[in-house]
Amino acid sequence: MKQVKENFGKLVFDDREMKARLSSKIYNSLKKTISEGAKLDSNVADAVAVAMKDWAVENGATHYTHWFQPLTGVTAEKHDSFIAPAPDGGVLMEFSGKELIQGEPDASSFPSGGLRATFEARGYTAWDPTSYAFIKGTTLCIPTAFCSYGGEALDKKTPLLRSMEALNKQALRILKLFGNEDVKYVSTSVGPEQEYFLIDRKEYDKRPDLKYTGRTLVGSRPPRGQDLDDHYFGVIKPRVAAYMEDLNDELWKLGIYAKTEHNEVAPAQHELAPIYDTTNIAADHNQLMMEIMQKVASKHGLVCLLHEKPFAGVNGSGKHNNWSVGTDTGENLLNPGDTPSENAQFLLFLCAVIKAVDDYQDLLRISVATAGNDHRLGANEAPPAVVSMFLGDELTAILKAIMNDEPYEGTETKKMKLGVDVLPRFNRDNTDRNRTSPFAFTGNKFEFRALGSSNSISCVNIMLNAAVAESLKIYADRLEGVDNFEEALHEMIKKTIKDHKRIIFNGNGYDEAWIKEATEERGLVNYKTTADCMPHLLDEKNVKMLTEQKVFTPAELNSRMEIMLDNYCKTITIEGNTLVDMVRKDILPSIEMYLSKVAETASLKQKVDSKMSISYEKNIMNKLSSLNDIIFAGVDTLEKVLEEEQAIEDIVEQGYAIRDKVLPTMESLREACDQAEMIVAKEYWPYPSYGEMLFGVK
Ligand code: ADP
Ligand code: MG
């Protein structure tokens, strides 16, 4: 193991570098900007820019880029070199405060859902000083937000920062009510657990579907899948171990606290979790992590698949968003305390989350909706598309006792008065917890498990922060200025539990009976696909909350709905076109070649002895001929529905066509192809099998 301590954060312009390289006056002024969002003076910006550039050049950088997260895709960057002509004919390495603070990428080809047309043709990037600059290759990357000149957000960072600010503002109001005067700000933290598949590059290169779409569009199940359940936490294979070691090194240099790694449920599937960080930084780091995971894989002759469902019939990949709310004084507000007042405060924050998740369950669903993630949600593996919350039996019983003014029959039987009594001890052990719940309380944080492995974590945290800010605002409005705080608080908590208890479910989320109960008896929403849920982003209550919390403008919401649906349609259209190509150019011809080989054998046999049995050949030829007819007809139909779908102008309608026509046609075409794969001899089949891909890395 290399020098972990020495190398950690080596490629990051972090606090240690700032302190060492800036005068204390400049450093303090920058810190003020970072922690309080104070405006940066231009002379401070210049000084920071010079120090940052000097540091970057010393560490091998020649270029800089404003690194940002457009609405689709992962991250974007446009590189400029530091060089400027020197009077003597040589070059100088220059970088000004202006260049640090603001950039103007030619943004016309980033999706804006019509925003730029309405406002201003060009967008600009603005430095986010709360996330450290870092070096990637020979480029200094400066984390930035991306906006139009009209101030409309064109990225994921801007609304995330706004949502954190919204939550900060409302949480501070609540904390004041509890007498917490010394807290200056409240922020949310996230630890994302990232799942992924690793396969051999050689197999990947032979699969057009993986190359163009990230998932296999055909492929029959291997004789052995995850049936034995022996991969989870199993011994890590040498090639994978070497990859993980290298990956950790790279991530540590970038200041990412990669911590836990293990095999996942499916063969070839693994997980990596960093230590949690402030949400904004966690989001930047998760984007960077996904990029580095892929880069390091290619050095090892591997490919890292981040698609939610690379292989049908095998568990897909998700991401768990572990989320908590904490103060600058180090208090985790989701941690039950030891005193009556701490307990009451904890219960209030707990209730704020319960209310938020119930009121805005649709927004949480929408925030994880992508073409890829649709394969998991509602497909009996990842949590269902129905959002519910797991609190554990004991905490649920405590809430029920509070709601009904009944004694809690736990370890100690007693009636509780909030603000007077200490909460009864409940089980905070998070090992024995429900893994089928989309949204689980795990002792001092919530774990939202519906994210897809390739999702940006920004989307879900924007919605979560905004919705919780809204609950807190309603609470603060109610509690500020009441005569009897304790009583008002008690009543409000009771009311929240009464009004929102339908969202709490501690049972098995995969159970059919639960989905029925959830939708029919409890009235929870069940949007199965992206096409179903995305239009609800613009439901009146959602627009109202998100605009009142100043997280989005109505125009931004419109554009986002459009972009997300457009992305869904484009993704599936590309998949459809890829499948058409594969079937026409590889699969049908391969089946024909094998058929001709079998026919040749049959006729040879007949030549040798006209009475020799050729029933095996006949059988195969019969089966394959009829499959070929089905496949041929299927690919024609697929082409037709793809054409029709692309001709639809209304994006919502186009989404429905994708859901109702394109996907089912692809599915039945695939079925026939997979049946053929089972019959055709291996050497005739054009693609590596599931078995080869899933068990190929030793
Ligand atoms: P699991 O049992 O779900 O695999 P882990 O121990 O691997 O749990 O932790 C999951 C993630 O939760 C890690 O990234 C960890 O840093 C993060 N985490 C732990 N405590 C908190 C917290 N208070 N707020 C946010 N994330 C947290
Ligand atoms: Mg977890």
Side-chain angles (χ1 to χ4, degrees), residues 189-193 260 262 271 273-276 320 322-324 332 433 435 444-445 447:
S189 292
V190 169
E193 299 164 69
T260 314
H262 58 77
E271 180 185 292
I275 299 172
Y276 67 98
H320 290 177
N322 294 276
W323 175 93
S324 65
N332 177 352
R433 59 176 201 237
R435 291 190 174 269
N444 61 2
K445 62 185 182 337
E447 182 170 354

Side-chain angles (χ1 to χ4, degrees), residues 423-563:
L423 273 186
R425 280 273 149 205
F426 58 89
N427 188 3
R428 293 178 205 164
D429 179 7
N430 63 10
T431 52
D432 169 38
R433 59 176 201 237
N434 184 323
R435 291 190 174 269
T436 63
S437 173
F439 205 106
F441 182 62
T442 51
N444 61 2
K445 62 185 182 337
F446 278 98
E447 182 170 354
F448 187 49
R449 308 209 179 95
L451 286 77
S453 46
S454 69
N455 280 161
S456 152
I457 64 165
S458 296
C459 307
V460 71
N461 288 296
I462 292 169
M463 297 307 180
L464 188 54
N465 293 343
V468 173
E470 177 74 9
S471 303
L472 294 173
K473 175 182 179 293
I474 292 168
Y475 291 170
D477 287 349
R478 169 82 188 83
L479 292 174
E480 278 168 0
V482 289
D483 292 336
N484 189 335
F485 176 72
E486 244 117 61
E487 203 166 292
L489 178 69
H490 193 93
E491 282 312 307
M492 223 176 54
I493 287 178
K494 267 171 67 177
K495 183 169 156 41
T496 300
I497 304 166
K498 237 181 221 140
D499 292 349
H500 300 285
K501 62 177 190 297
R502 66 170 186 166
I503 198 78
I504 298 166
F505 176 65
N506 295 324
N508 179 3
Y510 296 176
D511 196 345
E512 277 295 317
W514 158 241
I515 303 299
K516 208 166 134 65
E517 178 188 331
T519 51
E520 290 172 18
E521 286 161 40
R522 301 198 188 198
L524 302 178
V525 295
N526 183 14
Y527 298 135
K528 292 213 173 85
T529 69
T530 303
D532 294 302
C533 70
M534 207 46 82
H536 292 284
L537 180 60
L538 302 182
D539 284 358
E540 201 184 323
K541 74 166 178 67
N542 294 337
V543 176
K544 186 165 181 295
M545 184 278 279
L546 290 167
T547 51
E548 280 179 8
Q549 288 301 332
K550 300 197 164 46
V551 172
F552 286 114
T553 65
E556 286 170 352
L557 282 170
N558 268 309
S559 79
R560 258 152 233 257
M561 195 278 289
E562 223 175 85
I563 289 168

